[in-house]
mmCIF file with all atom_site columns, all heavy atoms in Angstrom:
data_model
loop_
_atom_site.group_PDB
_atom_site.id
_atom_site.type_symbol
_atom_site.label_atom_id
_atom_site.label_alt_id
_atom_site.label_comp_id
_atom_site.label_asym_id
_atom_site.label_entity_id
_atom_site.label_seq_id
_atom_site.pdbx_PDB_ins_code
_atom_site.Cartn_x
_atom_site.Cartn_y
_atom_site.Cartn_z
_atom_site.occupancy
_atom_site.B_iso_or_equiv
_atom_site.pdbx_formal_charge
_atom_site.auth_seq_id
_atom_site.auth_comp_id
_atom_site.auth_asym_id
_atom_site.auth_atom_id
_atom_site.pdbx_PDB_model_num
ATOM 1  N N   . ILE X 1 170 ? -27.190 11.518  56.362 1.00 0.00 ? 170 ILE X N   1
ATOM 2  C CA  . ILE X 1 170 ? -27.075 10.169  56.920 1.00 0.00 ? 170 ILE X CA  1
ATOM 3  C C   . ILE X 1 170 ? -28.389 9.796   57.599 1.00 0.00 ? 170 ILE X C   1
ATOM 4  O O   . ILE X 1 170 ? -28.904 10.518  58.444 1.00 0.00 ? 170 ILE X O   1
ATOM 5  C CB  . ILE X 1 170 ? -25.913 10.082  57.917 1.00 0.00 ? 170 ILE X CB  1
ATOM 6  C CG1 . ILE X 1 170 ? -24.584 10.324  57.194 1.00 0.00 ? 170 ILE X CG1 1
ATOM 7  C CG2 . ILE X 1 170 ? -25.897 8.711   58.615 1.00 0.00 ? 170 ILE X CG2 1
ATOM 8  C CD1 . ILE X 1 170 ? -23.382 10.380  58.109 1.00 0.00 ? 170 ILE X CD1 1
ATOM 9  N N   . ALA X 1 171 ? -28.941 8.665   57.190 1.00 0.00 ? 171 ALA X N   1
ATOM 10 C CA  . ALA X 1 171 ? -30.181 8.134   57.741 1.00 0.00 ? 171 ALA X CA  1
ATOM 11 C C   . ALA X 1 171 ? -30.201 6.640   57.421 1.00 0.00 ? 171 ALA X C   1
ATOM 12 O O   . ALA X 1 171 ? -29.449 6.179   56.550 1.00 0.00 ? 171 ALA X O   1
ATOM 13 C CB  . ALA X 1 171 ? -31.392 8.845   57.133 1.00 0.00 ? 171 ALA X CB  1
ATOM 14 N N   . PRO X 1 172 ? -31.037 5.860   58.097 1.00 0.00 ? 172 PRO X N   1
ATOM 15 C CA  . PRO X 1 172 ? -31.038 4.404   57.856 1.00 0.00 ? 172 PRO X CA  1
ATOM 16 C C   . PRO X 1 172 ? -31.261 4.014   56.400 1.00 0.00 ? 172 PRO X C   1
ATOM 17 O O   . PRO X 1 172 ? -30.700 3.018   55.936 1.00 0.00 ? 172 PRO X O   1
ATOM 18 C CB  . PRO X 1 172 ? -32.183 3.908   58.749 1.00 0.00 ? 172 PRO X CB  1
ATOM 19 C CG  . PRO X 1 172 ? -32.242 4.900   59.859 1.00 0.00 ? 172 PRO X CG  1
ATOM 20 C CD  . PRO X 1 172 ? -31.934 6.223   59.218 1.00 0.00 ? 172 PRO X CD  1
ATOM 21 N N   . ASP X 1 173 ? -32.054 4.798   55.655 1.00 0.00 ? 173 ASP X N   1
ATOM 22 C CA  . ASP X 1 173 ? -32.298 4.449   54.254 1.00 0.00 ? 173 ASP X CA  1
ATOM 23 C C   . ASP X 1 173 ? -31.167 4.890   53.333 1.00 0.00 ? 173 ASP X C   1
ATOM 24 O O   . ASP X 1 173 ? -31.190 4.581   52.140 1.00 0.00 ? 173 ASP X O   1
ATOM 25 C CB  . ASP X 1 173 ? -33.638 5.014   53.770 1.00 0.00 ? 173 ASP X CB  1
ATOM 26 C CG  . ASP X 1 173 ? -33.720 6.525   53.894 1.00 0.00 ? 173 ASP X CG  1
ATOM 27 O OD1 . ASP X 1 173 ? -32.915 7.113   54.647 1.00 0.00 ? 173 ASP X OD1 1
ATOM 28 O OD2 . ASP X 1 173 ? -34.595 7.126   53.244 1.00 0.00 ? 173 ASP X OD2 1
ATOM 29 N N   . ASN X 1 174 ? -30.167 5.589   53.865 1.00 0.00 ? 174 ASN X N   1
ATOM 30 C CA  . ASN X 1 174 ? -28.992 5.966   53.086 1.00 0.00 ? 174 ASN X CA  1
ATOM 31 C C   . ASN X 1 174 ? -27.744 5.197   53.518 1.00 0.00 ? 174 ASN X C   1
ATOM 32 O O   . ASN X 1 174 ? -26.617 5.597   53.207 1.00 0.00 ? 174 ASN X O   1
ATOM 33 C CB  . ASN X 1 174 ? -28.738 7.472   53.184 1.00 0.00 ? 174 ASN X CB  1
ATOM 34 C CG  . ASN X 1 174 ? -29.689 8.262   52.302 1.00 0.00 ? 174 ASN X CG  1
ATOM 35 O OD1 . ASN X 1 174 ? -30.251 7.727   51.350 1.00 0.00 ? 174 ASN X OD1 1
ATOM 36 N ND2 . ASN X 1 174 ? -29.875 9.522   52.621 1.00 0.00 ? 174 ASN X ND2 1
ATOM 37 N N   . ILE X 1 175 ? -27.977 4.105   54.232 1.00 0.00 ? 175 ILE X N   1
ATOM 38 C CA  . ILE X 1 175 ? -26.887 3.195   54.601 1.00 0.00 ? 175 ILE X CA  1
ATOM 39 C C   . ILE X 1 175 ? -27.256 1.815   54.068 1.00 0.00 ? 175 ILE X C   1
ATOM 40 O O   . ILE X 1 175 ? -28.177 1.169   54.567 1.00 0.00 ? 175 ILE X O   1
ATOM 41 C CB  . ILE X 1 175 ? -26.685 3.122   56.129 1.00 0.00 ? 175 ILE X CB  1
ATOM 42 C CG1 . ILE X 1 175 ? -26.312 4.500   56.683 1.00 0.00 ? 175 ILE X CG1 1
ATOM 43 C CG2 . ILE X 1 175 ? -25.608 2.091   56.471 1.00 0.00 ? 175 ILE X CG2 1
ATOM 44 C CD1 . ILE X 1 175 ? -26.296 4.564   58.197 1.00 0.00 ? 175 ILE X CD1 1
ATOM 45 N N   . LEU X 1 176 ? -26.582 1.395   53.014 1.00 0.00 ? 176 LEU X N   1
ATOM 46 C CA  . LEU X 1 176 ? -26.817 0.066   52.460 1.00 0.00 ? 176 LEU X CA  1
ATOM 47 C C   . LEU X 1 176 ? -25.892 -0.942  53.135 1.00 0.00 ? 176 LEU X C   1
ATOM 48 O O   . LEU X 1 176 ? -24.748 -0.622  53.461 1.00 0.00 ? 176 LEU X O   1
ATOM 49 C CB  . LEU X 1 176 ? -26.551 0.052   50.954 1.00 0.00 ? 176 LEU X CB  1
ATOM 50 C CG  . LEU X 1 176 ? -27.572 0.742   50.043 1.00 0.00 ? 176 LEU X CG  1
ATOM 51 C CD1 . LEU X 1 176 ? -27.131 0.620   48.590 1.00 0.00 ? 176 LEU X CD1 1
ATOM 52 C CD2 . LEU X 1 176 ? -28.956 0.138   50.221 1.00 0.00 ? 176 LEU X CD2 1
ATOM 53 N N   . VAL X 1 177 ? -26.400 -2.136  53.350 1.00 0.00 ? 177 VAL X N   1
ATOM 54 C CA  . VAL X 1 177 ? -25.576 -3.224  53.874 1.00 0.00 ? 177 VAL X CA  1
ATOM 55 C C   . VAL X 1 177 ? -25.499 -4.285  52.778 1.00 0.00 ? 177 VAL X C   1
ATOM 56 O O   . VAL X 1 177 ? -26.517 -4.865  52.379 1.00 0.00 ? 177 VAL X O   1
ATOM 57 C CB  . VAL X 1 177 ? -26.173 -3.818  55.162 1.00 0.00 ? 177 VAL X CB  1
ATOM 58 C CG1 . VAL X 1 177 ? -25.276 -4.956  55.677 1.00 0.00 ? 177 VAL X CG1 1
ATOM 59 C CG2 . VAL X 1 177 ? -26.298 -2.733  56.233 1.00 0.00 ? 177 VAL X CG2 1
ATOM 60 N N   . SER X 1 178 ? -24.304 -4.494  52.258 1.00 0.00 ? 178 SER X N   1
ATOM 61 C CA  . SER X 1 178 ? -24.109 -5.404  51.133 1.00 0.00 ? 178 SER X CA  1
ATOM 62 C C   . SER X 1 178 ? -24.300 -6.851  51.559 1.00 0.00 ? 178 SER X C   1
ATOM 63 O O   . SER X 1 178 ? -24.435 -7.165  52.749 1.00 0.00 ? 178 SER X O   1
ATOM 64 C CB  . SER X 1 178 ? -22.707 -5.213  50.544 1.00 0.00 ? 178 SER X CB  1
ATOM 65 O OG  . SER X 1 178 ? -21.720 -5.599  51.487 1.00 0.00 ? 178 SER X OG  1
ATOM 66 N N   . LYS X 1 179 ? -24.276 -7.730  50.575 1.00 0.00 ? 179 LYS X N   1
ATOM 67 C CA  . LYS X 1 179 ? -24.498 -9.158  50.857 1.00 0.00 ? 179 LYS X CA  1
ATOM 68 C C   . LYS X 1 179 ? -23.400 -9.739  51.736 1.00 0.00 ? 179 LYS X C   1
ATOM 69 O O   . LYS X 1 179 ? -23.613 -10.742 52.417 1.00 0.00 ? 179 LYS X O   1
ATOM 70 C CB  . LYS X 1 179 ? -24.595 -9.924  49.535 1.00 0.00 ? 179 LYS X CB  1
ATOM 71 C CG  . LYS X 1 179 ? -25.803 -9.508  48.690 1.00 0.00 ? 179 LYS X CG  1
ATOM 72 C CD  . LYS X 1 179 ? -25.849 -10.208 47.357 1.00 0.00 ? 179 LYS X CD  1
ATOM 73 C CE  . LYS X 1 179 ? -26.278 -11.666 47.504 1.00 0.00 ? 179 LYS X CE  1
ATOM 74 N NZ  . LYS X 1 179 ? -26.489 -12.306 46.184 1.00 0.00 ? 179 LYS X NZ  1
ATOM 75 N N   . ASP X 1 180 ? -22.223 -9.101  51.741 1.00 0.00 ? 180 ASP X N   1
ATOM 76 C CA  . ASP X 1 180 ? -21.146 -9.565  52.619 1.00 0.00 ? 180 ASP X CA  1
ATOM 77 C C   . ASP X 1 180 ? -21.044 -8.707  53.880 1.00 0.00 ? 180 ASP X C   1
ATOM 78 O O   . ASP X 1 180 ? -19.999 -8.638  54.525 1.00 0.00 ? 180 ASP X O   1
ATOM 79 C CB  . ASP X 1 180 ? -19.809 -9.606  51.885 1.00 0.00 ? 180 ASP X CB  1
ATOM 80 C CG  . ASP X 1 180 ? -19.403 -8.239  51.323 1.00 0.00 ? 180 ASP X CG  1
ATOM 81 O OD1 . ASP X 1 180 ? -20.239 -7.304  51.397 1.00 0.00 ? 180 ASP X OD1 1
ATOM 82 O OD2 . ASP X 1 180 ? -18.273 -8.111  50.832 1.00 0.00 ? 180 ASP X OD2 1
ATOM 83 N N   . ASN X 1 181 ? -22.180 -8.035  54.220 1.00 0.00 ? 181 ASN X N   1
ATOM 84 C CA  . ASN X 1 181 ? -22.317 -7.286  55.485 1.00 0.00 ? 181 ASN X CA  1
ATOM 85 C C   . ASN X 1 181 ? -21.379 -6.084  55.597 1.00 0.00 ? 181 ASN X C   1
ATOM 86 O O   . ASN X 1 181 ? -20.931 -5.734  56.694 1.00 0.00 ? 181 ASN X O   1
ATOM 87 C CB  . ASN X 1 181 ? -22.131 -8.221  56.697 1.00 0.00 ? 181 ASN X CB  1
ATOM 88 C CG  . ASN X 1 181 ? -23.283 -9.204  56.830 1.00 0.00 ? 181 ASN X CG  1
ATOM 89 O OD1 . ASN X 1 181 ? -24.423 -8.880  56.518 1.00 0.00 ? 181 ASN X OD1 1
ATOM 90 N ND2 . ASN X 1 181 ? -22.979 -10.410 57.288 1.00 0.00 ? 181 ASN X ND2 1
#
Side-chain angles (χ1 to χ4, degrees):
I170 296 175
D173 59 342
N174 283 339
I175 299 171
L176 287 180
V177 180
S178 65
K179 296 177 74 173
D180 59 353
N181 291 326

